[in-house]
Each structure stands twice: as C-alpha cells, then as structure tokens.
C-alpha cells in the first residue's frame, strides 16, 4: 500500500461544507462499519471509544495507539477523502496480516471541527490528539485553526471531567504559542506537569508516530 497512490491536497478548509453525512447524535452512529468486532447486531458499540485522533493524517499514531493500548478503542477522524481511504485500507491490510489484531482502531471521514459532538457523547473520551494540525498562517484564516475558544469548549465537552487529556504537537512556533495561549486562557483546561508527562506513553508516541 503506497501513499503515492493516494495523492491529496495538503490542506483542507474545515469551515467549508462538503457533502458529509453527519449523525444526528452519538446514539445514531452505526459503528459496525468500522468496529464490527465490537458492536452488537444494531451497530451499537459494546464498549466506549477511548481515544480520538483528530486529523489523523496517514494513521501513524492511530496504529501505535492500537498496538500499545489493545484494550482501548481509538478512532481517527480525517477530513480529506483520499487520506481517509488510505488509512482505511492500511488498517484492513494490518488486520488481514495479523489475525485478531488491530480491530480496536478505525477511521472515519468527517469534519471534527464541526461535528465532533455528533459522534462522541458528553464526557466519553479519555484522550484527544491534534498532531501537526494545519497552521493556517494567514491572519484571515486563523479562524480555521483546530484550536480556538469555541472548539476547546467542544473538546472539553467530550473529554472525561477531571481525567481527560488533550494533546497537541506542532513544529510551527507561532502555532505552538497560539495553542498555549488559548489552552491556558480556557477555564476547563490546565497544563499537565512535567513528571506526569514523562510517565505518559502517549506523550512519547505523539513525537515518534505521527504521519502527517
């Protein structure tokens, strides 16, 4: 499976409205298409989704989450059609080559900036990841950035109160400062201490595994 066969634009406008089919609410999602081993006959998950990788790119972190946390369900959410198709085929190939493994990770094509709460229930997620998101350098496009005052409130809504963690990583200094400023200003988030970070496997994975 070669990435060059899945050419895609590097950027997408999350404020545009391509023809996505959005579930009305989390109870309406048929997860059997992506998590068939973990759903009942009605397409309802028999266990909760734990991790969400927003803008999962080519699925590097998603795969590592599946390997390191086999008891957890992880979902990748990606807006670009061809990238989503690549990740879906990559996961299917991994399941074929490793019978019984990689059934705990999946990908959906959607606009998480607009409809995350249509998929995820209140207080349901342990962790949300944003790895190397589009920096949208032009000032007029800053409203497209995944981290904003309004989006952080939605992310807080789907994270477990007092336990949920939001991870961001970028190689753009300006965007790092933007993330820091908005997260520190938001009343529902506080920065994790260095000692806790050192003991966190996911903190290590976001540096080593992302494929954007």
């Amino acid at each position: 499976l070669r990435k060059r066969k899945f050419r895609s634009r590097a950027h997408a406008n999350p404020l545009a409205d391509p023809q996505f089919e959005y579930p009305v609410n989390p109870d309406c999602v048929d997860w059997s298409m992506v998590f068939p081993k973990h759903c009942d006959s009605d397409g309802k998950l028999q266990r909760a989704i734990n991790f969400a990788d927003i803008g999962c790119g080519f699925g590097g972190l998603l795969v590592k989450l599946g390997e390191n946390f086999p008891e957890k369900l992880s979902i990748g959410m990606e807006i670009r059609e061809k990238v989503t198709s690549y990740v879906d085929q990559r996961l299917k190939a991994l399941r074929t080559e490793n019978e019984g493994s990689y059934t705990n990770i999946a990908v959906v094509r959607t606009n998480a900036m607009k409809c995350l709460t249509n998929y995820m229930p209140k207080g349901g997620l342990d962790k949300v990841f944003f790895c190397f998101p589009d920096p949208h350098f032009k000032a007029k496009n800053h409203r497209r950035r995944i981290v904003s005052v309004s989006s952080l409130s939605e992310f807080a809504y789907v994270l477990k109160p007092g336990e949920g963690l939001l991870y961001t990583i970028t190689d753009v200094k300006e965007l790092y400062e933007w993330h820091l400023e908005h997260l520190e200003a938001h009343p529902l988030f506080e920065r994790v201490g260095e000692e806790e970070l050192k003991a966190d496997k996911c903190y290590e994975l976001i540096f080593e595994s992302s494929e954007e």
Side-chain angles (χ1 to χ4, degrees):
L1 195 61
R2 297 183 180 180
K3 291 180 186 175
R4 64 182 174 83
K5 295 183 179 180
F6 293 83
R7 294 179 132 190
S8 178
R9 294 181 60 180
H11 308 285
N13 180 3
L15 301 182
D17 195 18
Q19 298 303 307
F20 290 118
E21 291 186 3
Y22 301 138
V24 176
N25 58 56
D27 290 333
C28 296
V29 181
D30 181 357
W31 290 109
S32 64
M33 297 296 291
V34 293
F35 286 119
K37 299 292 186 181
H38 302 284
C39 289
D40 60 23
S41 58
D42 295 321
K44 304 299 182 184
L45 281 170
Q46 297 175 313
R47 49 193 286 203
I49 293 175
N50 307 101
F51 304 156
D53 184 7
I54 308 299
C56 66
F58 291 100
L61 176 61
L62 191 60
V63 170
K64 290 300 181 183
L65 289 173
E67 293 171 352
N68 285 272
F69 300 93
E71 76 287 0
K72 304 287 188 181
L73 292 187
S74 300
I75 188 73
M77 294 182 157
E78 174 58 52
I79 194 171
R80 294 166 294 179
E81 182 179 9
K82 290 185 179 180
V83 177
T84 307
S85 178
Y86 170 85
V87 178
D88 183 54
Q89 292 188 40
R90 178 181 184 178
L91 299 185
K92 288 176 178 176
L94 284 170
R95 292 172 193 146
T96 300
E97 295 166 4
N98 304 271
E99 188 174 354
S101 299
Y102 298 100
T103 64
N104 61 327
I105 52 176
V107 64
V108 293
R109 183 186 180 222
T110 192
N111 186 346
M113 196 166 173
K114 282 190 170 185
C115 63
L116 181 62
T117 56
N118 294 69
Y119 285 89
M120 300 298 156
K122 181 178 180 180
L125 292 173
D126 297 314
K127 303 175 187 290
V128 174
F129 300 88
F130 304 97
C131 297
F132 302 99
D134 192 330
H136 294 292
F137 287 110
K138 294 180 180 179
K140 68 178 184 178
N141 291 332
H142 285 180
R143 62 198 180 99
R144 299 179 183 177
R145 288 178 170 175
I146 190 67
V147 169
S148 66
V149 174
S150 58
S151 67
L152 284 176
S153 295
E154 290 205 5
F155 304 146
Y157 177 86
V158 299
L159 283 166
K160 290 182 177 176
E163 301 177 33
L165 292 172
L166 183 150
Y167 298 74
T168 69
I169 183 171
T170 178
D171 52 6
V172 178
K173 184 175 184 290
E174 178 195 342
L175 188 61
Y176 165 78
E177 292 171 347
W178 171 280
H179 287 172
L180 199 60
E181 175 189 347
H182 282 74
L183 284 161
E184 289 184 340
H186 200 285
L188 296 178
F189 288 95
E190 62 181 14
R191 196 168 187 173
V192 173
E194 290 298 322
E195 290 304 312
E196 186 175 345
L197 284 179
K198 291 177 183 177
D200 186 348
K201 181 65 177 177
C202 290
Y203 180 66
E204 175 187 333
L205 291 177
I206 63 173
F207 284 93
E208 299 176 350
S209 309
S210 179
E211 295 179 13
E212 178 46 65

